[in-house]
Amino acid sequence: MTNNATMHEHDVIVVGGGGAGLRAAIAAEEEGADVAIVTKLHPVRSHTGAAEGGINAALRDGDDPTDHAYDTMKGSDYLGDAPAIETLCETSPEETIQLEHWGMPFSREEDGRVSQRPFGGLSFPRTTYAGAETGHHLLHTMYEQVVKRGVTVYDEFYVMDLAVTDHPDPEERECHGCIAYNIKSGDLVGFEADGVILATGGDGQAFDHTTNAVANTGDGLAMAYRAGVPVEDPEFVQFHPTTLPSTGVLISEGVRGEGGILYNSEGERFLFERGYANNDGELASRDVVARAELTEVNEGRGVNDEYVDLDMRHLGEERIVDRLENILHLAEDFEGVDGLEEPMPVKPGQHYHMGGIETDENGETCVSGLYAAGECACVSVHGSNRLGGNALPELIVFGARAGYDAAGRDLGEARIDTGPSARSETETDLDTPVSPGALDGAEPDAVADGGALATDAEAVVEDALERQRERVETLLERDGINHAEIRSDLQDAMTQFVNVFREKEGLQQALEAIRDCRERYQNVAVADPSRTFNTDLLHTIETRNLIDVAETITLGALARDEFRGAHWRKEHQERKDDEWLKHTMVSWNGGDPDIFYTDVILEGEEKTYEPKVRSY
Amino acid sequence: MSTGITRPEEEEETESQAVGAARAAGESAYGQARMNETEIDAANEASQRRARRAVEDADHTVELKVFRYDPEVPEKEKPRFDSFTVPFAKGMTVLDALMWARDHYDSSLTFRHSCRQAVCGSDALFVDGKQRLGCKTQVADLADDGVPGEVRIEPLPHAEVVKDLVVDMEHFYDQMESVEPYFQDEDTPDGLNEQRQSRENREKIKMSTRCIWCGACMSSCNIAAGDNEYLGPAAINKAYRFAMDEREGEDLTEHRLNIIEQEHGVWRCQTQFSCTEVCPKDIPLTEHIQALKREAVKKNLKFW
Ligand SMILES: Cc1cc2nc3c(=O)[nH]c(=O)nc-3n(C[C@H](O)[C@H](O)[C@H](O)COP(=O)(O)OP(=O)(O)OC[C@H]3O[C@@H](n4cnc5c(N)ncnc54)[C@H](O)[C@@H]3O)c2cc1C
Ligand code: SF4
Ligand code: FES
């Protein structure tokens, strides 16, 4: 056989070795499970390493988890679920201190305690940091603990699909493992497990311009979606206003915090002079600044028709080198610009996906045995807008919970209901120009095409393995076109139409473009015939995942005709609580997407959060 | 510009590939592409035309000379260099140029990369004769006058090449993990109390904690090239990071010094500074190795 199909068995499989995956694996190991991490990148190469700012945790006198919860709920624009938010804020302190006990090199105060700093939207300086490289240290510290515990890591194994039973109702389905491609050898491997935790991170590659890594292709989200798990609130995507134009590398908010100024091509300080933010100017919230920048460019006042200038020269060399040294390196290395001599070009870029795989506060999805944690998941703590410093605590809090639960620890019954049965309402009149979902007679997806119902775990994995084997053979053997142009057209369409500005017509055009990509994708083939390290094959499969991700984002964006958090609609520039205080769910539904809504849970343990105007 | 790899001829197909193809064409639901052969050819030609036009329209181009090797593909069994002409734009990194070449000329061109911002450590390469991160190297900086000419890109020396620019990292990982690179102190404070660490001590280990496991240092080191068991600069730096961290007790420090004092440990280093020169995170590796040597001497004196 070309593919030496092999099978492995573990109690728990964690897909992904970023912050969420590592924490999940450590938790499962603590609980006594035989756990393995299967990851397409070596764990230390995960994009958690790029996080700069810090981890929000209420650690100090004068601060309290309830304040953190209040800030988070307000930041979410009342689309976060209270049980998830309260769990996050109550558990973040112990999880953060746990990292310290594992040796994470946090920055320190005079008295030797860990340092915290203020961050946007927070009522207390609770962002716990390690220099400007918090994510790097968090990632490495947890990987070190994984090494210490001898957890098995299958690194450079690309997970292609889940092994899920094919019951018609997703809530009856069971996940028995997953199928991976050994990148170095080209072998396909079946992993059989009682619990599978998806921790595959972000999906910024659905956009043309992003702070996300090249590997952030939404694989886990797409796999769970096709296995029947709803994608929750997909329309909520955070765009960061200051990213470098050629690469998308993030220029921290710190530059504006220190006094950096944004100019258009006419030398105007447009945030004030054009009235976008008369009070806060450069320090207005991320979405306001991002929209202002794009308006300038669209109206012909962009520099080179593409970006605006972020100038910090007036701060003086001494202050810049002292507080923003890292920024000088980034601008120099990734844009070829000397921030001491010239302004730095910046434009908005995709940064974070609030939406994701629907889970309850124990990390479990509606498919039994299938979990998700980290950026790929939506437990919903961020609602429609994530506060800076709230993603890293999400990784460790919900990564750990998913790990414990999958390994059998009783975390109590979840308050958040999942799956189609949690539906409160169905979307019936969405005006889509083309029908989304699978093409007629398209390739079979995660759930088998009507064969006998395999329920025996091993048989389920073997069936899935066989399907993936065929998929790989087909892509390698047939003649066809390369995926790269399809991916790039998809990214362009998303950045053009589903960016910080969204309007009905544009969103419909995006759906057409996505449909076109899907159709062209029917013709892709992998030109590299090799079994060894075939990245052509992997990127081709990722592109399929990106198509599904992009479609869920766009469907959600078209459905939600209001302005909430990061989601802005031209025709509907206000928050409509009467109509839209609800989660969007997009479910694959065997290839015929079903869009429905579920209630937001604003009732906390002790109080109910009342929606208020989000102003700072 | 040479074109990339073409598909092996039908008769060169291995038996197993043929079986796979038959299966795929037979019962498989994945089936054949929906465009016919002529349409596929036309689409592929159109892509090539677009690439050529981008090159013609560019003010400047850069010529990549890229090392190619694949043990499984007949044309690539013998290592060779391919050239790719890539349109140059201000801010372009070596990684950007490689990605452009892959996406427009030859999708089999293989290299690791992910973050594009010097934190994931995936793309340490041998660029114009020096170990560098592809994503952190501006193409313009490789030319004296800022106008790019030719850039030579090879896999890291002293490592086994898996394919094209990808090298086997297993040995590097083994060395890293052999120094017990994890906090071992079990005696941590209760509840929400952190271990205290002075600012000075944090400062002392700060640079050592920046390592991104890229392997550039190991590849540049002559000693490591000659002694496969030598721990290498990155692993010793990792040991330094823990040995110098005041939060771990003295017993552990001693244990850690024993590890790096082994036959293939710190004493092998001949302070040639090549690792320090190539480290993309500016870690003073040689200094750290010297510091550990001093600590080891101190420890040994104590036990005399
Ligand atoms: C530039 C930047 C700065 C940020 N700064 C902050 C900050 O200061 N504070 C904060 O709270 N948040 C911050 N964030 C957000 C936060 O860092 C991320 O949301 C978070 O790190 C994601 O972690 P993760 O574990 O979910 O995913 P990742 O770290 O991306 O890990 C994903 C893992 O999944 C694996 N994987 C993916 N697909 C597959 C597959 N098909 N098969 C096998 N394995 C797979 C990958 O190999 C990887 O190991 C920042 C984000 C960015 C981009
Ligand atoms: S010490 Fe520097 S060169 Fe060596 S692996 Fe770490 S980051 Fe790379
Ligand atoms: S791509 Fe991550 S270090 Fe270069």
Side-chain angles (χ1 to χ4, degrees), chain B residues 95 113-123 133 135 212:
Chain B
L95 177 63
H113 63 302
S114 185
C115 71
R116 306 167 303 153
Q117 57 186 88
V119 294
C120 78
S122 299
D123 63 340
L133 293 180
C135 64
I212 55 172

Side-chain angles (χ1 to χ4, degrees), chain A residues 243-548:
Chain A
T243 70
L244 296 175
S246 55
T247 48
V249 166
L250 182 76
I251 295 296
S252 156
E253 234 159 77
V255 176
R256 282 170 292 140
E258 293 293 335
I261 297 177
L262 288 165
Y263 293 107
N264 63 17
S265 63
E266 290 169 15
E268 293 170 323
R269 192 174 179 182
F270 57 92
L271 282 158
F272 289 108
E273 290 182 47
R274 300 246 164 211
Y276 298 102
N278 290 324
N279 295 324
D280 293 351
E282 278 79 9
L283 292 175
S285 71
R286 285 180 184 180
D287 52 326
V288 173
V289 180
R291 281 192 295 272
E293 291 174 1
L294 271 194
T295 306
E296 290 302 296
V297 174
N298 292 344
E299 292 181 0
R301 293 185 298 274
V303 183
N304 290 331
D305 280 334
E306 196 199 351
Y307 50 82
V308 295
D309 279 335
L310 176 58
D311 200 344
M312 59 177 186
R313 288 173 297 182
H314 57 286
L315 302 178
E317 178 164 352
E318 198 182 326
R319 178 143 162 227
I320 296 174
V321 171
D322 182 39
R323 306 202 188 160
L324 300 166
E325 188 192 343
N326 185 33
I327 301 300
L328 287 177
H329 293 310
L330 293 175
E332 175 74 45
D333 294 341
F334 303 110
E335 201 65 47
V337 165
D338 180 353
L340 292 175
E341 297 291 329
E342 52 195 326
M344 300 175 288
V346 292
K347 69 179 200 181
Q350 189 280 355
H351 184 50
Y352 182 87
H353 197 179
M354 274 75 73
I357 303 166
E358 184 206 27
T359 71
D360 62 27
E361 64 271 37
N362 298 336
E364 195 165 15
T365 70
C366 67
V367 170
S368 97
L370 182 61
Y371 296 77
E375 188 170 337
C376 70
C378 180
V379 49
S380 182
V381 290
H382 310 302
S384 65
N385 175 51
R386 175 182 73 95
L387 294 183
N390 259 356
L392 296 178
E394 178 188 19
L395 306 183
I396 48 182
V397 168
F398 293 101
R401 289 180 74 85
Y404 290 132
D405 196 296
R409 186 190 286 189
D410 184 5
L411 297 177
E413 204 184 324
R415 281 182 58 206
I416 298 173
D417 292 329
T418 57
S421 66
R423 165 189 329 247
S424 61
E425 197 186 325
T426 301
E427 174 65 58
T428 49
D429 59 354
L430 193 65
D431 189 5
T432 57
V434 286
S435 43
L439 301 168
D440 288 340
E443 302 174 347
D445 286 306
V447 179
D449 43 350
L453 197 68
T455 44
D456 164 40
E458 199 181 324
V460 173
V461 179
E462 272 169 6
D463 281 3
L465 185 60
E466 180 56 22
R467 275 198 300 280
Q468 293 310 312
R469 198 193 56 71
E470 272 184 24
R471 184 184 189 189
V472 169
E473 293 298 333
T474 306
L475 285 171
L476 287 176
E477 298 301 334
R478 76 181 177 193
D479 284 327
I481 57 173
N482 179 251
H483 78 100
E485 276 187 340
I486 301 176
R487 182 187 288 204
S488 129
D489 289 349
L490 181 82
Q491 293 168 332
D492 288 346
M494 292 299 284
T495 294
Q496 188 177 353
F497 300 120
V498 200
N499 214 17
V500 299
F501 288 124
R502 295 167 174 184
E503 55 184 297
K504 186 174 174 188
E505 247 167 55
L507 293 168
Q508 288 173 328
Q509 269 172 277
L511 283 176
E512 284 175 29
I514 294 165
R515 193 66 179 175
D516 181 56
C517 290
R518 216 186 259 290
E519 274 163 14
R520 282 154 66 200
Y521 190 84
Q522 292 284 98
N523 302 297
V524 291
V526 174
D528 187 348
S530 178
R531 295 278 165 185
T532 303
F533 226 95
N534 194 329
T535 52
D536 192 3
L537 174 70
L538 303 183
H539 296 152
T540 302
I541 293 170
E542 287 171 350
T543 295
R544 162 65 208 270
N545 292 333
L546 287 171
I547 292 172
D548 287 336

Side-chain angles (χ1 to χ4, degrees), chain B residues 63-107:
Chain B
E63 194 78 4
L64 304 184
K65 298 262 182 235
V66 188
F67 178 92
R68 306 300 302 271
Y69 165 76
D70 187 330
E72 263 190 79
V73 175
E75 301 89 328
K76 282 169 77 184
E77 260 171 352
K78 252 181 52 202
R80 61 164 202 241
F81 279 85
D82 281 354
S83 339
F84 302 100
T85 310
V86 172
F88 170 78
K90 186 175 182 210
M92 180 176 239
T93 63
V94 168
L95 177 63
D96 293 332
L98 276 172
M99 288 167 73
W100 203 94
R102 178 197 64 202
D103 292 345
H104 293 85
Y105 296 130
D106 180 358
S107 61

